[in-house]
Amino acid sequence: MCFVNKTISKIVQDICEKNLQIPSEKLNIQETIGIRDIIIPNYKPIEALNWLSTFAVSLEQTDSSFLFYEN
């Protein structure tokens, strides 16, 4: 998967909606800072989300880290 000129939060949203088919109203994704060009290696969607979370920095809190989870 290749993403150009997108924030991590938009990439996560794309993966959740297109690959995992999660309706947007069920997603709660915080906005992130920084526009990036990212090529995701041969990962499954959940692996890609966990990998992306290591690069994500919250727009609201710069000292935060992200975690992907489902309940």
Side-chain angles (χ1 to χ4, degrees):
M1 289 185 271
C2 181
F3 299 93
V4 179
N5 289 331
K6 291 193 174 195
T7 61
I8 299 283
S9 54
K10 295 299 180 193
I11 296 170
V12 167
Q13 184 174 355
D14 283 352
I15 292 171
C16 288
E17 291 177 354
K18 294 176 183 171
N19 297 91
L20 298 174
Q21 299 180 349
I22 300 172
S24 59
E25 61 271 0
K26 291 193 176 196
L27 294 173
N28 181 12
I29 301 171
Q30 289 184 5
E31 289 296 319
T32 58
I33 60 173
I35 303 295
R36 299 179 181 241
D37 297 335
I38 292 185
I39 298 173
I40 297 178
N42 191 23
Y43 288 158
K44 295 176 184 173
I46 299 296
E47 292 172 324
L49 294 174
N50 282 321
W51 181 70
L52 286 167
S53 71
T54 64
F55 302 107
V57 177
S58 174
L59 182 65
E60 298 170 8
Q61 299 174 358
T62 57
D63 62 344
S64 65
S65 56
F66 283 83
L67 172 68
F68 176 75
Y69 71 94
E70 177 182 6
N71 60 5

